[in-house]
Every structure is written in structure tokens, then in C-alpha cells.
Amino acid sequence: MALTLFDTDEYRPPVWKSYLYQLQQEAPHPRRITCTCEVENRPKYYGREFHGMISREATDQLLSVAEGSYLIRESQRQPGTYTLALRFGSQTRNFRLYYDGKHFVGEKRFESIHDLVTDGLITLYIETKAAEYIAKMTINPIYEHIGYTTLNREPAYKKHMPVLKETHDERDPTGQDGVSEKRVHTFRGPHWCEYCANFMWGLIAQGVKCADCGLNVHKQCSKMVPNDCKPDLKHVKKVYSCDLTTLVKAHTTKRPMVVDMCVREIESRGLNSEGLYRVSGFSDLIEDVKMAFDRDGEKADISVNMYEDINIITGALKLYFRDLPIPLITYDAYPKFIESAKIMDPDEQLETLHEALKLLPPAHCETLRYLMAHLKRVTLHEKENLMNAENLGIVFGPTLMRSPELDAMAALNDIRYQRLVVELLIKNEDILF
């Protein structure tokens, strides 16, 4: 009999497939063909890419300069209707263009024509280059190996898996049974499908996300996922690097046990330790704590008898947050938190921070609340440990937040705001949570 991924005690994380990501990087970039003359009756929501009523022949000639070139023209046969003309594959592709506050040619709606074209070029390029590959993506899923398998799922050989529903109407009030809610979702930063392990391509609405367990999958892969996504504890073979929501659902807890246990241990014997959280413990021993949690879960022994240096425990807690696949302050909520740090008016700043907290999944918000209350208690011992809210912000900013931007310079510029966000959360935890 063939071994599954968890027939051995050793956990091996899934291998994310890079082929589609590489194709997205290779896709043509948008090149706007601007109109050099004034066009009468140009719609206010179009810019210089609008060329008015020009012929298809003239359009072909203008777009022939390069792949990815685009312009907008008004139909000569149907005045008042507009066409996005796009150069791809050495041909001009024409798409009926609509606007209802956002631009669209299909289901996806965009704030700008540039974003629409960027997404369109990525999709055209990937679906042209990898049509056969995409058609076979669901053949060898990793879904059952990463902790989302249901406890009472129908056998895999059944041809018709239940289709994911759009509402919670049929759910059990305990949240443990019933239908899971999957919503089309825009992912910030690169994301991979947790059903097929392939990259989720595009600029927006790259896939769907489960509101219950946080599962991220392609839209086509979502049809293969059971309705009840309650994680199967026997498949959640680790604590570190496991999705936070998946972990708490699998163990039926409010927060990850590693957070509760480390905080209790730190508060019982470490609040007066100088440089608490700033001073690093021995990395080998921190790795031992990590392995103990992954192996023994809530039975892990992190007492003073095992680890006398409290910096080992603080290091293990920081490592847990750094290892989360989705940060405690999620990629989706990140921009709102950064926005709050840039606001000068204190009342408006707190209001924006409160709105940002509402964007977090319940398990993330509860864990953040618990951690901030703990760090507030750490600051009450500042005379002994020399750690105030500002110092803790410096330590925990980059630990709890990661920029969804791929641009290294943009991410670097955010570090000061990350620090400030955590400092504000600590100082105002009694008001915000």
C-alpha cells in the first residue's frame, strides 16, 4: 500500500509548484498607447488611452509597436459603447469594455484600466502557455495532507463532491458542522492554492477563501473541496508553520496553545527579566522548544526545569509568529493598519486602527488581543525589564506584520510604521479590544 504524507512521524511540508508563478513573471507588461490629440466626448473615467472612433485598421497599426500595447476606442457601429483593444500573441484582441464605478470586461472589476490590462495579460499568457497543465491541476491534490481534511468526509471515490455554498444559513450555531462559506478573494502578495499546490495567478480575485478555516484555493479547485472544512486533528501534525485558524479549529481552542503556554510561563517567572523579548535566547534551544510543541502539542514541557533561561521561551513565541504562513496581522488587513500609523490626529488614528482590527479573522483578532494584553503587562514592569511599548513595538512590529508588497524597498519603508502599529495596540489595548 502506498504511504501517504503522514504515515511517518516526520512532517514534510507541501512543495509549492512554481511553474505558474514563473509564467506570471514572464507575462507581457501593459503599454498604454496615448492619443496625441484632443478627443471630443471622451468619457471622464478614461484617460489618454481613449482614441475616440478610430477604425480597426488604425487600431492594429497603433498597437503593432509591442506586445501588451493597449488603447480604448469607441465603436463606429454602436456609438456610446467602448472597446478595449489589446495586443497579445501578435494579434489585436478586442473586448467590450464596461464601467459601473469600476472597469470590467468580465466578472472581475478594477479600479483602473492599467490594472485590468495587467491582469488580462497575465491571464491570457498563462492560459495560452499552460492550458493543458491547468486542466490537470486537480489530479494530484495536497489538500488532505495539510490539515484541512474533514472528520466525516464522503469517500474520495465519489464523483460528485458537494459544491461550496455562498452563505452560512445552514450552519450549526456551534460552528463545528454544516456548510462552510467560501468567497472570491483578492490575495495580497504571492499565494499558492492549498488544494493543488499551484500558484494563484492574477492581480485580483485570484481564488476563493474559506471564512471558517482560512483555506485558499483556485475557484476551479474549490469545487473539489468538501463543504465541511473542519480540520482533521490527526492530519495537523505540527504547531509551528500551521495556519493559525486551522490550528485552533483542529484543537477546538480560542487561541494557539503555544501562545497561551508561552505567555503563562513568561508571566509566571519572567516579567522582571531585563530586556525581555529584546534579548535573544540560544537558537538551538529555541528550536528544541519548537520541536517539543510540534511533537507533544499542549503536553510540551517548557517549565523552568527544562529551560531555565526565560529568553528561550520568549524566542520560541516570537518564532511561532514569524513562522505563520499568514501573519497574525494578515496581508489583507495590513494596508489599513499601516494607514492608521500614518494618521496624525489621535482620535482618527484610533478609529482607523479599530476598523483595521475588524478585518482580521476571529482567531487572529483573539490571539492579537491576548498578546497585546500580555505585552501591556510587560510594560508595567518597565523599571525592572526596561521594556516599554516603544521597545516592544520595535521587537514585534516585523514579527507580527509582513508587507504584502514584493518590492523590497517598499517593505523596508514600512518598518517604522509596523513598529508604531504595535506600540499603539499595546498602549490602547483596553480601548481597542
Side-chain angles (χ1 to χ4, degrees):
M1 183 179 72
L3 290 174
T4 64
L5 189 62
F6 291 111
D7 285 334
T8 63
D9 289 332
E10 181 183 1
Y11 172 77
R12 288 173 291 173
V15 177
W16 304 112
K17 302 169 187 175
S18 62
Y19 176 54
L20 298 180
Y21 176 74
Q22 291 168 355
L23 287 183
Q24 174 159 314
Q25 300 300 99
E26 296 170 6
H29 295 288
R31 180 169 176 171
R32 185 174 73 155
I33 304 299
T34 58
C35 184
T36 56
C37 58
E38 285 299 323
V39 180
E40 291 185 6
N41 302 319
R42 182 177 68 192
K44 61 182 179 181
Y45 40 81
Y46 296 141
R48 303 292 293 184
E49 70 276 0
F50 183 74
H51 286 249
M53 285 189 183
I54 61 172
S55 66
R56 284 176 177 260
E57 291 75 17
T59 299
D60 286 339
Q61 188 174 357
L62 287 168
L63 296 182
S64 63
V65 292
E67 285 283 283
S69 298
Y70 72 93
L71 59 80
I72 298 171
R73 62 182 178 84
E74 186 173 2
S75 172
Q76 293 177 330
R77 294 181 180 177
Q78 294 178 288
T81 62
Y82 305 99
T83 298
L84 171 67
L86 174 66
R87 190 73 171 179
F88 179 80
S90 301
Q91 298 178 18
T92 298
R93 308 287 185 99
N94 293 286
F95 303 90
R96 178 66 64 85
L97 187 60
Y98 301 92
Y99 181 81
D100 64 356
K102 292 188 177 182
H103 305 278
F104 62 100
V105 298
E107 291 182 356
K108 294 184 179 182
R109 283 164 164 73
F110 299 84
E111 296 290 345
S112 70
I113 293 294
H114 183 273
D115 286 351
L116 186 156
V117 174
T118 301
D119 187 85
L121 287 169
I122 290 169
T123 302
L124 285 169
Y125 189 79
I126 288 178
E127 292 183 354
T128 299
K129 293 281 187 179
E132 187 176 348
Y133 182 90
I134 292 170
K136 296 179 179 179
M137 283 195 314
T138 59
I139 292 176
N140 295 306
I142 62 163
Y143 174 76
E144 296 189 3
H145 305 318
I146 60 171
Y148 293 103
T149 306
T150 55
L151 293 171
N152 301 299
R153 185 167 62 83
E154 291 185 73
Y157 60 78
K158 291 206 174 182
K159 291 185 179 179
H160 301 291
M161 298 297 287
V163 177
L164 296 171
K165 304 298 182 182
E166 293 291 330
T167 69
H168 278 297
D169 294 346
E170 301 175 44
R171 291 199 62 189
D172 184 275
T174 63
Q176 299 300 317
D177 300 301
V179 178
S180 301
E181 183 180 11
K182 302 290 189 294
R183 295 176 179 172
V184 174
H185 191 78
T186 294
F187 297 97
R188 307 291 182 182
H191 272 70
W192 273 256
C193 175
E194 291 168 326
Y195 182 84
C196 72
N198 281 287
F199 179 66
M200 301 171 76
W201 67 89
L203 210 59
I204 67 167
Q206 302 96 328
V208 299
K209 185 182 184 74
C210 178
D212 294 327
C213 73
L215 180 70
N216 305 320
V217 292
H218 292 112
K219 192 172 182 180
Q220 59 266 47
C221 291
S222 70
K223 297 172 184 176
M224 308 297 292
V225 180
N227 279 341
D228 176 14
C229 62
K230 183 180 186 300
D232 190 339
L233 186 55
K234 71 182 180 184
H235 287 310
V236 181
K237 286 287 188 178
K238 57 175 184 168
V239 172
Y240 282 68
S241 302
C242 179
D243 176 75
L244 190 150
T245 302
T246 298
L247 187 70
V248 300
K249 282 179 70 71
H251 289 270
T252 322
T253 57
K254 290 169 64 177
R255 298 175 297 271
M257 87 285 286
V258 63
V259 176
D260 282 10
M261 291 175 64
C262 285
V263 166
R264 284 199 299 268
E265 192 66 27
I266 292 162
E267 294 197 354
S268 70
R269 60 185 175 97
L271 288 177
N272 293 328
S273 177
E274 185 175 328
L276 189 68
Y277 284 113
R278 180 179 55 79
V279 177
S280 300
F282 289 109
S283 58
D284 288 350
L285 293 178
I286 292 172
E287 195 65 26
D288 283 347
V289 175
K290 172 183 174 179
M291 289 190 291
F293 276 115
D294 283 343
R295 183 183 62 245
D296 304 325
E298 60 188 13
K299 295 181 181 178
D301 184 0
I302 59 171
S303 67
V304 66
N305 296 327
M306 285 295 293
Y307 303 101
E308 183 178 354
D309 182 4
I310 197 63
N311 298 313
I312 304 301
I313 309 304
T314 60
L317 181 59
K318 289 186 292 182
L319 179 61
Y320 170 75
F321 288 119
R322 285 199 302 272
D323 278 0
L324 284 174
I326 299 174
L328 186 61
I329 292 177
T330 62
Y331 292 121
D332 296 325
Y334 182 93
K336 196 71 174 177
F337 277 94
I338 294 297
E339 177 191 335
S340 71
K342 296 178 179 179
I343 295 172
M344 302 304 295
D345 180 72
D347 292 335
E348 186 182 349
Q349 187 175 60
L350 285 180
E351 181 61 34
T352 305
L353 203 52
H354 191 260
E355 291 173 7
L357 289 169
K358 293 178 181 178
L359 300 176
L360 295 176
H364 284 248
C365 191
E366 167 56 25
T367 304
L368 184 63
R369 180 203 65 77
Y370 183 78
L371 178 65
M372 292 303 109
H374 161 64
L375 295 180
K376 184 69 168 287
R377 290 191 288 273
V378 170
T379 65
L380 297 180
H381 295 256
E382 181 188 349
K383 287 185 179 180
E384 294 77 25
N385 61 38
L386 307 181
M387 295 301 288
N388 57 24
E390 182 180 358
N391 293 335
L392 290 169
I394 292 171
V395 173
F396 276 95
T399 301
L400 304 182
M401 305 178 72
R402 294 199 294 274
S403 172
E405 295 293 333
L406 296 177
D407 182 6
M409 283 304 299
L412 195 62
N413 290 334
D414 279 355
I415 289 178
R416 56 177 173 159
Y417 298 116
Q418 294 172 355
R419 296 171 177 173
L420 184 56
V421 165
V422 175
E423 181 182 343
L424 290 168
L425 288 170
I426 295 171
K427 288 181 176 179
N428 299 284
E429 64 87 20
D430 55 335
I431 300 172
L432 291 168
F433 295 98

